[in-house]
Amino acid sequence: MPVDLISANHAAALAATLAGRANRTARGFCSGVYPITPSTECMEYLCGQQIEKGKVVRADSEHNAMGICIGASASGARSFTTTCSNGLAYMVENCVAAAGYRLPIVMSVANRTMGPPWNIWTDHGDSLLMRDLGWLQLYSADNQEVFDTVLCAFKLAEDPRVMMPALTCMDGFILSHTTAQVEIPSQEQVDRFLPPTKIPHRLDKVAHTLGQIETPHQSVAHRLQHHQAMLQARQVYAEIQDSFAEIFGRRPADPLVGYRTEDAETLIVSMGTLGVTAERVVDQLREQGQAVGSVRVRMFRPMPDEELRRFFSGTKRIAVLDRDVSIGFGGVLWGEVRGFAEPATIVQNYMVGVAGGDVRPEHMLNLLAELEQRQESGAPQIVEVV
Amino acid sequence: MTNEPALNGMALTERDRSEPLLRAGNSNCGGCGMSSLLQMLRRAAADRELKLVVPACCAAVTGGIFPESAFSIPTIMSTFASAASVATGVASVAQLNGEPTRVICLAGDGGTYDIGMGTLSAAAERNEDILYICYDNEIYGNTGGQRSSATPAGAWTTSTPLGKQKTKKDILGIMAAHRIPYAASVSLAHIDDTLRKLQFALDARGFRFLHVLSPCPTGWKSEPAMGIELVRLAVRSGLFPVFEVFDGERYLINVEPEFSGEALMMYLSLQRRFRDSGVTEENLRPNIERYWNYLRLMSGRIVPARRDI
Ligand SMILES: Cc1ncc(C[n+]2csc(CCOP(=O)(O)OP(=O)(O)O)c2C)c(N)n1
Ligand code: SF4
Ligand SMILES: [Mg+2]
């Protein structure tokens, strides 16, 4: 497979382009886009592509970029957009709507701190804002993973058992602006992986209304369907990994990426590129004879609870590293995963690299040293890295 | 009165009854102008294939409760500010697939003049292939009747208990400034003119905008049966000019009013929303004159050509 040197932003856009072209025999591709640092290069790349039966609308705002994706997807087209930070916050109302209509729109987010005060550096607080809105959420740790994840996200979102929008996240700048080798499949391979988009409830000939008024019991029924479909996504993703491996010759990463976790007494749990640093730290500590492992959460929605429980079982200590702060609570990831640990396990939350702090191995080593001293879990800690 | 046939042209035809765009049993208030508009739209659209985008507004309620549909065409209910962007996506995909579908936004004044203004402006600037119809009841009807920037001066609303001070936004001026292919105001009291405009706007390509003064007995505190008559009074008095603008340049006045003071007085007195603010015919007259001077200038018609009310 040909290898190209591209940034993760371009990798996401290229994957979306190939996916868009793959729908040329069906209802095509249509996307609304709007720039914001550090997602801008993704939309710029998309604007430079010739997509057969495809259109990229240069919108006037993120809210309307998603509005355009909604109209396109509701008309049966494949649809993709990209944003982050304040752009994502501005878009949220229509993200709720996209999920409510159950439209398989894929969005790439180059995670960035929310402002003001303005800060363009990476923080997961923006995409975590979307936690409860009925979108699938996948976090990547390198450029190849970004590329593969966007392709998988289309297949996952469009699967009739799932049928909902998907968020694919990458750390702003750390990935979005880093150029690395990415294996690029042929259009023919992508065509095989992504058959034509079928949205059964799209606006077609029959008079029906999308997004109309519901009574409470109807909305509950729809929430339940949505919830169950989201839970199904774990099984569907496993099938997608198989079909991806068969067509492209490499297997996309698991929902949870464990590293040297067998016999580990201490686990580092994190998302995004923090997980890559964590793996280097694990190597160092293993050399010193310490039984440390890492679990990188790739699939945040749906939360892979069973696998988490399996990774956590028998662990003495868990450091949950959050690149986000839920002010007045602690780390969002910590809040999500701590319940899967056994009662005797010490689960300590460190919010580290928040608002773009550069987390290096020595920082993680310090945190693990602190964790080793603990007799019990303490309050979540916001850790400054300098 | 040649353009106003029996029963004001609103008598139901057999087709209106058997294949209405707005189905029987919908929840609109009696005398709602939006209902009359949809009836006219049905007649104008004939066999054209339509898709409807409706933002939050009364018409989003009109659509009915899941899984029923009061609209007999495929419809998507968008968020409040997003009608024109959702319609952009729908129209783009129709275009990519070579479909003749006409995509229509049906939005209230709130979704048009206020929260959806940026969206509307952007879709107009891109000249998307959309027919955007604003049914203007001059109020946020859905939320119980607060002011919008389409509410006229002197009108009581729940958020302007002493009557609104500011005058109404000039929406057609704004749309004309976008140089879109077609923008027009529509009087439901002038049926031939309404049908002609709807048909023209349905067939034209690019961004088309129709502004419809839409009587709202609930918000205007008026008799449901008086709605069309109120529109006629608004036209006769000069308060609601009926005109069209092609490519943002060529202005055509469609109905020459008689600027009747009596009509204006009746327009005010037949709606309780104007009762307590102290607004009078004399208060409104200067603004009407100013606007008509502007219209005469733009249309190049210094002397009224035809008195046809
Ligand atoms: C973002 C957002 N803000 C507020 C509302 C509440 N809301 C729904 S409809 C509406 C007013 C609609 O007014 P208009 O567009 O004039 O339509 P009408 O109800 O008069 O038909 C408001 C304020 C909403 N749905 N969404
Ligand atoms: S409140 Fe007014 S606009 Fe809304 S349905 Fe009733 S009459 Fe029509
Ligand atoms: Mg209104």
Side-chain angles (χ1 to χ4, degrees):
Chain A
M1 197 172 286
V3 172
D4 219 344
L5 268 178
I6 52 174
S7 71
N9 258 338
H10 286 184
L14 180 55
T17 303
L18 290 163
R21 284 202 194 105
N23 206 37
R24 67 197 175 282
T25 55
R27 294 193 56 75
F29 174 79
C30 178
S31 163
V33 292
Y34 197 78
I36 181 170
T37 306
S39 286
T40 302
E41 288 75 9
C42 181
M43 72 74 91
E44 285 178 337
Y45 188 94
L46 206 60
C47 290
Q49 299 303 300
Q50 292 292 331
I51 301 175
E52 198 181 335
K53 207 190 239 194
K55 184 174 168 187
V56 179
V57 181
R58 284 68 163 170
D60 59 304
S61 69
E62 290 85 357
H63 197 270
N64 286 327
M66 183 49 63
I68 290 162
C69 291
I70 286 170
S73 187
S75 303
R78 192 161 274 160
S79 193
F80 170 88
T81 191
T82 180
T83 189
C84 62
S85 184
N86 288 55
L88 187 61
Y90 198 59
M91 187 190 268
V92 158
E93 189 198 22
N94 273 339
C95 293
V96 175
Y101 306 124
R102 299 286 296 273
L103 296 174
I105 298 161
V106 173
M107 170 153 62
S108 171
V109 169
N111 289 101
R112 165 183 159 178
T113 307
M114 304 271 299
W118 295 117
N119 174 331
I120 59 173
W121 311 109
T122 200
D123 187 294
H124 295 156
D126 55 356
S127 53
L128 292 176
L129 201 68
M130 299 261 295
R131 186 185 69 168
D132 305 328
L133 304 185
W135 283 59
L136 303 157
Q137 286 205 24
L138 298 156
Y139 291 77
S140 295
D142 64 45
N143 292 18
Q144 185 71 60
E145 205 175 292
V146 168
F147 182 90
D148 295 353
T149 301
V150 170
L151 286 186
C152 289
F154 277 110
K155 199 167 173 77
L156 190 58
E158 291 175 11
D159 189 283
R161 292 163 290 177
V162 179
M163 196 50 72
M164 68 184 72
L167 211 57
T168 61
C169 306
M170 61 173 99
D171 288 348
F173 292 108
I174 298 173
L175 280 191
S176 68
H177 285 61
T178 298
T179 299
Q181 291 190 347
V182 178
E183 286 188 13
I184 315 283
S186 67
Q187 183 66 54
E188 185 273 326
Q189 284 172 301
V190 176
D191 290 354
R192 262 201 296 146
F193 181 64
L194 288 174
T197 309
K198 279 205 197 73
I199 302 171
H201 53 297
R202 79 173 175 89
L203 299 176
D204 196 2
K205 301 274 183 256
V206 179
H208 77 299
T209 304
L210 278 178
Q212 67 193 124
I213 295 178
E214 293 182 335
T215 57
H217 75 277
Q218 290 172 329
S219 288
V220 171
H222 282 146
R223 293 282 192 288
L224 179 65
Q225 284 177 351
H226 199 147
H227 181 61
Q228 284 170 340
M230 174 86 87
L231 296 182
Q232 282 252 29
R234 300 163 184 158
Q235 173 53 35
V236 176
Y237 182 73
E239 296 170 22
I240 289 173
Q241 284 177 297
D242 292 342
S243 100
F244 192 103
E246 189 197 316
I247 295 170
F248 301 110
R250 61 172 182 277
R251 197 176 170 78
D254 286 338
L256 296 179
V257 179
Y259 186 76
R260 302 182 84 165
T261 54
E262 63 301 334
D263 80 335
E265 292 180 356
T266 301
L267 279 182
I268 310 171
V269 178
S270 63
M271 291 206 298
T273 54
L274 282 181
V276 180
T277 310
E279 289 176 6
R280 297 293 79 78
V281 167
V282 165
D283 286 343
Q284 274 188 30
L285 292 173
R286 284 273 178 182
E287 266 174 37
Q288 298 164 17
Q290 295 189 39
V292 181
S294 152
V295 174
R296 175 161 64 86
V297 177
R298 228 176 82 67
M299 183 183 274
F300 182 79
R301 278 292 177 276
M303 185 55 87
D305 50 3
E306 272 174 36
E307 293 94 318
L308 267 176
R309 234 177 238 118
R310 223 175 302 131
F311 274 119
F312 285 2
S313 96
T315 309
K316 293 206 178 109
R317 295 163 198 277
I318 298 175
V320 183
L321 308 188
D322 264 280
R323 193 162 225 153
D324 63 81
V325 182
S326 172
I327 292 175
F329 174 68
V332 175
L333 183 62
W334 167 75
E336 293 258 336
V337 303
R338 61 178 172 157
F340 298 112
E342 290 165 347
T345 311
I346 297 171
V347 183
Q348 181 59 43
N349 183 207
Y350 304 101
M351 288 161 275
V352 66
V354 166
D358 182 24
V359 183
R360 295 186 296 277
E362 62 262 33
H363 301 126
M364 287 195 192
L365 288 169
N366 288 344
L367 299 180
L368 288 180
E370 202 262 3
L371 179 64
E372 289 308 318
Q373 302 304 315
R374 290 197 157 271
Q375 301 308 312
E376 56 182 10
S377 318
Q381 298 176 20
I382 298 180
V383 182
E384 244 185 287
V385 288
V386 280
Chain B
M1 295 274 189
T2 48
N3 62 351
E4 292 166 6
L7 277 178
N8 199 35
M10 302 305 286
L12 289 171
T13 66
E14 208 29 64
R15 182 158 193 198
D16 294 335
R17 265 195 208 92
S18 57
E19 305 164 45
L21 206 153
L22 175 60
R23 289 166 168 159
N26 67 78
S27 61
N28 273 3
C29 310
C32 175
M34 185 231 305
S35 302
S36 311
L37 164 67
L38 285 166
Q39 192 181 317
M40 288 293 103
L41 181 62
R42 201 286 149 269
R43 224 173 275 184
D47 295 323
R48 291 173 185 85
E49 196 191 308
L50 309 179
K51 290 206 165 70
L52 195 59
V53 180
V54 180
C57 60
C58 277
V61 181
T62 311
I65 297 175
F66 177 87
E68 291 170 1
S69 182
F71 299 127
S72 65
I73 49 177
T75 301
I76 180 164
M77 301 298 182
S78 79
T79 55
F80 197 10
S82 307
S85 61
V86 171
T88 296
V90 178
S92 298
V93 175
Q95 220 161 24
L96 288 172
N97 287 279
E99 291 162 352
T101 313
R102 315 279 56 213
V103 180
I104 300 176
C105 288
L106 179 69
D109 45 302
T112 303
Y113 286 64
D114 293 344
I115 201 166
M117 176 52 84
T119 308
L120 172 63
S121 169
E125 184 264 342
R126 294 190 305 263
N127 198 26
E128 300 291 350
D129 192 21
I130 297 169
L131 167 54
Y132 191 109
I133 304 178
C134 171
Y135 70 95
D136 177 9
N137 60 3
E138 306 190 314
I139 205 167
Y140 291 176
N142 177 298
T143 40
Q146 300 75 31
R147 65 93 89 178
S148 77
S149 55
T151 304
W156 170 93
T157 70
T158 62
S159 59
T160 52
L162 303 177
K164 193 185 161 198
Q165 303 293 311
K166 304 281 184 300
T167 51
K168 192 180 169 87
K169 221 186 235 181
D170 175 14
I171 193 73
L172 278 187
I174 293 168
M175 295 320 294
H178 287 75
R179 307 286 181 261
I180 53 174
Y182 188 61
S185 53
V186 170
S187 154
L188 290 171
H190 296 73
I191 286 315
D192 286 351
D193 189 64
T194 299
L195 277 177
R196 180 184 63 78
K197 283 173 175 165
L198 284 169
Q199 280 162 350
F200 181 86
L202 278 162
D203 284 337
R205 289 285 168 156
F207 201 86
R208 297 91 72 199
F209 181 89
L210 295 178
H211 175 222
V212 184
L213 181 63
S214 185
C216 171
T218 313
W220 293 7
K221 312 289 172 216
S222 56
E223 276 300 315
M226 287 302 289
I228 301 297
E229 210 47 53
L230 287 174
V231 174
R232 197 191 320 279
L233 291 170
V235 174
R236 279 182 62 194
S237 61
L239 192 64
F240 184 70
V242 183
F243 64 106
E244 53 201 335
V245 189
F246 299 87
D247 302 315
E249 295 168 354
R250 280 178 301 123
Y251 278 63
L252 196 63
I253 295 167
N254 307 116
V255 180
E256 193 56 53
E258 62 197 59
F259 299 103
S260 153
E262 188 196 15
L264 190 53
M265 199 189 71
M266 284 182 66
Y267 183 75
L268 295 178
S269 62
L270 287 170
Q271 303 173 61
R272 269 200 294 122
R273 64 172 170 156
F274 292 117
R275 195 180 56 185
D276 297 326
S277 68
V279 66
T280 61
E281 183 203 334
E282 289 76 39
N283 296 152
L284 296 179
R285 189 54 62 201
N287 259 341
I288 294 176
E289 272 173 22
R290 197 179 315 139
Y291 196 75
W292 273 92
N293 286 340
Y294 166 75
L295 266 187
R296 300 242 182 269
L297 190 75
M298 298 307 284
S299 66
R301 190 184 282 177
I302 308 301
V303 182
R306 195 164 64 110
R307 284 192 179 273
D308 175 14
I309 310 137

